Amino acid sequence: MRRTLITRCAGLVVCLTLFATSIGLAASDTYPSKPIRFVVPFTAGSATDTLARIIGQNVSQTLGQPVIVENVPGANGQIGASMVARAAPDGYTILIGTNSTHAFNQALYKKLTYDHVKDFEPISKLGSIALALVINPQVPAKTTQELIAYAKANPGKLSYGSGAASARLAMEMFKLSADVDILYVPYKSNPQAVADLLGDQVQVMLADMSTTLPSARAGKLRALGVSSAGRSRLAPDLPTMQEAGLKGYDLYAWFGAFAPAKTPEAIVDALDRAFIKAMNDKAVQEALLGAGIEPSSSTPEELAAFVASETKKLAESTKAAGIEPE
């Protein structure tokens, strides 16, 4: 009798598993059947927004459905990330995440409104971008060394703007390495901080090149250097922080696509293929490079491993920079 019951239960489990699998396969067979939403957790005009719109056009052509980019800024990307974490796991709401949402925030906040591992299915890496050190032209410095010297001679006189976790950490690492006192002023987004930098409400910023360099190239800001270990091929004239004497300084921002947890594997794979195709498209590559973004792609497994590595590394960097979790 007991064996019969166990056999029946085992059979029921198999049937339920097959049923769940068939539902997932059926969903993936018809996917996508309506517009897909790319949630950008930062404002329009940010590097993440620029990347999402460039890639979205190509992904739309590949999948045969419109891709709608929705900006949901706030709390260093927490608001947008939380929205996607709570969305239906059906492949129609995708987070265009960054190192802020999936590595920095874990070190900056004691408690987050989402779990960057449990609440998401990684899809693909999307690219990376170096950060540029820019200043308001009113600051009497034409090199990073001159900025450091001015800041040392005028402790607390300068302030910096930051609307993303990477921009904040970059400047805090700069302050620590250069031993200077520069006041931190938080913003909802980097473009807003740049606007105040142009108006001299803040004087310094170290943020993604896509946001900072256009104003520098227009002569409205002065670019002094880049955050990466080696010079960027997108701004080869700008020396690195290491060249300016800040030993070991190396920081960059990155982007990745994430779906809500429990999204069927077949749908994640379909999205991954679409993102990889987009990143291999010459027109997409040229558009991204023109915006200061180095394109890249990956498998979901590679992105998961990368996120784990970056979370550990950036936790160590945040602690070394003396940033206390909020």
Side-chain angles (χ1 to χ4, degrees), residues 286-307:
E286 290 176 357
L288 289 174
L289 289 170
I293 301 168
E294 298 269 2
S296 64
S297 59
S298 73
T299 64
E301 294 76 19
E302 288 169 341
L303 177 55
F306 179 72
V307 166

mmCIF file of all heavy atoms in Angstrom, residues 286-307:
data_model
loop_
_atom_site.group_PDB
_atom_site.id
_atom_site.type_symbol
_atom_site.label_atom_id
_atom_site.label_comp_id
_atom_site.label_asym_id
_atom_site.label_seq_id
_atom_site.Cartn_x
_atom_site.Cartn_y
_atom_site.Cartn_z
ATOM 1 N N GLU A 286 29.426 51.093 -33.501
ATOM 2 C CA GLU A 286 29.868 52.456 -33.804
ATOM 3 C C GLU A 286 29.095 53.492 -32.987
ATOM 4 O O GLU A 286 29.663 54.474 -32.498
ATOM 5 C CB GLU A 286 29.710 52.731 -35.299
ATOM 6 C CG GLU A 286 30.697 51.962 -36.170
ATOM 7 C CD GLU A 286 30.452 52.169 -37.655
ATOM 8 O OE1 GLU A 286 29.476 52.874 -38.001
ATOM 9 O OE2 GLU A 286 31.240 51.625 -38.459
ATOM 10 N N ALA A 287 27.796 53.258 -32.825
ATOM 11 C CA ALA A 287 26.972 54.184 -32.050
ATOM 12 C C ALA A 287 27.383 54.187 -30.575
ATOM 13 O O ALA A 287 27.472 55.247 -29.936
ATOM 14 C CB ALA A 287 25.492 53.820 -32.181
ATOM 15 N N LEU A 288 27.652 52.997 -30.037
ATOM 16 C CA LEU A 288 28.067 52.901 -28.640
ATOM 17 C C LEU A 288 29.438 53.532 -28.428
ATOM 18 O O LEU A 288 29.651 54.287 -27.474
ATOM 19 C CB LEU A 288 28.072 51.438 -28.187
ATOM 20 C CG LEU A 288 26.697 50.783 -28.033
ATOM 21 C CD1 LEU A 288 26.837 49.297 -27.734
ATOM 22 C CD2 LEU A 288 25.876 51.464 -26.939
ATOM 23 N N LEU A 289 30.373 53.220 -29.318
ATOM 24 C CA LEU A 289 31.712 53.802 -29.206
ATOM 25 C C LEU A 289 31.651 55.321 -29.322
ATOM 26 O O LEU A 289 32.385 56.041 -28.637
ATOM 27 C CB LEU A 289 32.631 53.220 -30.273
ATOM 28 C CG LEU A 289 33.037 51.747 -30.068
ATOM 29 C CD1 LEU A 289 33.737 51.203 -31.305
ATOM 30 C CD2 LEU A 289 33.949 51.616 -28.844
ATOM 31 N N GLY A 290 30.760 55.801 -30.179
ATOM 32 C CA GLY A 290 30.585 57.243 -30.311
ATOM 33 C C GLY A 290 30.068 57.891 -29.041
ATOM 34 O O GLY A 290 30.303 59.073 -28.789
ATOM 35 N N ALA A 291 29.384 57.086 -28.222
ATOM 36 C CA ALA A 291 28.859 57.580 -26.939
ATOM 37 C C ALA A 291 29.829 57.310 -25.795
ATOM 38 O O ALA A 291 29.507 57.564 -24.627
ATOM 39 C CB ALA A 291 27.515 56.916 -26.642
ATOM 40 N N GLY A 292 31.009 56.766 -26.137
ATOM 41 C CA GLY A 292 32.012 56.500 -25.105
ATOM 42 C C GLY A 292 31.877 55.157 -24.432
ATOM 43 O O GLY A 292 32.504 54.907 -23.394
ATOM 44 N N ILE A 293 31.057 54.270 -24.992
ATOM 45 C CA ILE A 293 30.797 52.960 -24.381
ATOM 46 C C ILE A 293 31.480 51.854 -25.179
ATOM 47 O O ILE A 293 31.321 51.768 -26.393
ATOM 48 C CB ILE A 293 29.284 52.686 -24.310
ATOM 49 C CG1 ILE A 293 28.596 53.775 -23.476
ATOM 50 C CG2 ILE A 293 29.008 51.301 -23.732
ATOM 51 C CD1 ILE A 293 27.078 53.753 -23.578
ATOM 52 N N GLU A 294 32.235 51.007 -24.485
ATOM 53 C CA GLU A 294 32.882 49.855 -25.110
ATOM 54 C C GLU A 294 31.887 48.695 -25.104
ATOM 55 O O GLU A 294 31.528 48.194 -24.041
ATOM 56 C CB GLU A 294 34.144 49.454 -24.334
ATOM 57 C CG GLU A 294 35.218 50.518 -24.281
ATOM 58 C CD GLU A 294 36.200 50.394 -25.429
ATOM 59 O OE1 GLU A 294 36.002 49.494 -26.280
ATOM 60 O OE2 GLU A 294 37.149 51.196 -25.475
ATOM 61 N N PRO A 295 31.397 48.241 -26.267
ATOM 62 C CA PRO A 295 30.399 47.169 -26.291
ATOM 63 C C PRO A 295 30.977 45.818 -25.903
ATOM 64 O O PRO A 295 32.152 45.534 -26.157
ATOM 65 C CB PRO A 295 29.927 47.168 -27.750
ATOM 66 C CG PRO A 295 31.064 47.750 -28.518
ATOM 67 C CD PRO A 295 31.713 48.743 -27.618
ATOM 68 N N SER A 296 30.155 44.992 -25.283
ATOM 69 C CA SER A 296 30.545 43.615 -24.945
ATOM 70 C C SER A 296 29.280 42.797 -24.742
ATOM 71 O O SER A 296 28.182 43.347 -24.646
ATOM 72 C CB SER A 296 31.415 43.570 -23.681
ATOM 73 O OG SER A 296 30.680 44.010 -22.557
ATOM 74 N N SER A 297 29.417 41.486 -24.686
ATOM 75 C CA SER A 297 28.272 40.603 -24.447
ATOM 76 C C SER A 297 28.764 39.371 -23.704
ATOM 77 O O SER A 297 29.966 39.174 -23.521
ATOM 78 C CB SER A 297 27.602 40.210 -25.770
ATOM 79 O OG SER A 297 28.522 39.548 -26.617
ATOM 80 N N SER A 298 27.830 38.531 -23.277
ATOM 81 C CA SER A 298 28.208 37.335 -22.520
ATOM 82 C C SER A 298 27.044 36.369 -22.447
ATOM 83 O O SER A 298 25.919 36.696 -22.838
ATOM 84 C CB SER A 298 28.622 37.714 -21.098
ATOM 85 O OG SER A 298 27.472 38.076 -20.335
ATOM 86 N N THR A 299 27.308 35.207 -21.902
ATOM 87 C CA THR A 299 26.243 34.270 -21.574
ATOM 88 C C THR A 299 25.669 34.666 -20.218
ATOM 89 O O THR A 299 26.310 35.417 -19.463
ATOM 90 C CB THR A 299 26.773 32.831 -21.474
ATOM 91 O OG1 THR A 299 27.702 32.758 -20.365
ATOM 92 C CG2 THR A 299 27.481 32.412 -22.756
ATOM 93 N N PRO A 300 24.477 34.174 -19.869
ATOM 94 C CA PRO A 300 23.928 34.459 -18.535
ATOM 95 C C PRO A 300 24.866 33.988 -17.421
ATOM 96 O O PRO A 300 25.027 34.677 -16.402
ATOM 97 C CB PRO A 300 22.612 33.680 -18.532
ATOM 98 C CG PRO A 300 22.200 33.652 -19.973
ATOM 99 C CD PRO A 300 23.490 33.479 -20.726
ATOM 100 N N GLU A 301 25.492 32.832 -17.625
ATOM 101 C CA GLU A 301 26.389 32.286 -16.606
ATOM 102 C C GLU A 301 27.613 33.185 -16.415
ATOM 103 O O GLU A 301 28.080 33.401 -15.288
ATOM 104 C CB GLU A 301 26.834 30.879 -16.993
ATOM 105 C CG GLU A 301 25.723 29.832 -17.000
ATOM 106 C CD GLU A 301 24.809 29.933 -18.217
ATOM 107 O OE1 GLU A 301 25.215 30.566 -19.233
ATOM 108 O OE2 GLU A 301 23.677 29.386 -18.157
ATOM 109 N N GLU A 302 28.135 33.704 -17.511
ATOM 110 C CA GLU A 302 29.299 34.595 -17.426
ATOM 111 C C GLU A 302 28.946 35.893 -16.710
ATOM 112 O O GLU A 302 29.737 36.411 -15.916
ATOM 113 C CB GLU A 302 29.831 34.886 -18.829
ATOM 114 C CG GLU A 302 30.539 33.698 -19.478
ATOM 115 C CD GLU A 302 30.816 33.903 -20.953
ATOM 116 O OE1 GLU A 302 30.178 34.782 -21.588
ATOM 117 O OE2 GLU A 302 31.671 33.166 -21.489
ATOM 118 N N LEU A 303 27.749 36.416 -16.981
ATOM 119 C CA LEU A 303 27.325 37.639 -16.302
ATOM 120 C C LEU A 303 27.157 37.383 -14.802
ATOM 121 O O LEU A 303 27.548 38.214 -13.980
ATOM 122 C CB LEU A 303 26.019 38.166 -16.893
ATOM 123 C CG LEU A 303 25.434 39.414 -16.212
ATOM 124 C CD1 LEU A 303 26.443 40.554 -16.169
ATOM 125 C CD2 LEU A 303 24.151 39.869 -16.917
ATOM 126 N N ALA A 304 26.588 36.243 -14.431
ATOM 127 C CA ALA A 304 26.404 35.911 -13.010
ATOM 128 C C ALA A 304 27.754 35.860 -12.291
ATOM 129 O O ALA A 304 27.903 36.405 -11.183
ATOM 130 C CB ALA A 304 25.675 34.580 -12.873
ATOM 131 N N ALA A 305 28.735 35.229 -12.909
ATOM 132 C CA ALA A 305 30.069 35.133 -12.309
ATOM 133 C C ALA A 305 30.721 36.510 -12.212
ATOM 134 O O ALA A 305 31.394 36.838 -11.217
ATOM 135 C CB ALA A 305 30.944 34.188 -13.129
ATOM 136 N N PHE A 306 30.521 37.325 -13.237
ATOM 137 C CA PHE A 306 31.087 38.677 -13.259
ATOM 138 C C PHE A 306 30.487 39.526 -12.143
ATOM 139 O O PHE A 306 31.204 40.252 -11.444
ATOM 140 C CB PHE A 306 30.828 39.319 -14.621
ATOM 141 C CG PHE A 306 31.339 40.720 -14.760
ATOM 142 C CD1 PHE A 306 32.692 40.976 -14.847
ATOM 143 C CD2 PHE A 306 30.450 41.793 -14.813
ATOM 144 C CE1 PHE A 306 33.168 42.282 -14.971
ATOM 145 C CE2 PHE A 306 30.916 43.093 -14.940
ATOM 146 C CZ PHE A 306 32.279 43.337 -15.026
ATOM 147 N N VAL A 307 29.173 39.445 -11.955
ATOM 148 C CA VAL A 307 28.503 40.205 -10.902
ATOM 149 C C VAL A 307 29.042 39.816 -9.527
ATOM 150 O O VAL A 307 29.309 40.676 -8.681
ATOM 151 C CB VAL A 307 26.973 39.994 -10.957
ATOM 152 C CG1 VAL A 307 26.296 40.497 -9.673
ATOM 153 C CG2 VAL A 307 26.384 40.712 -12.167
#
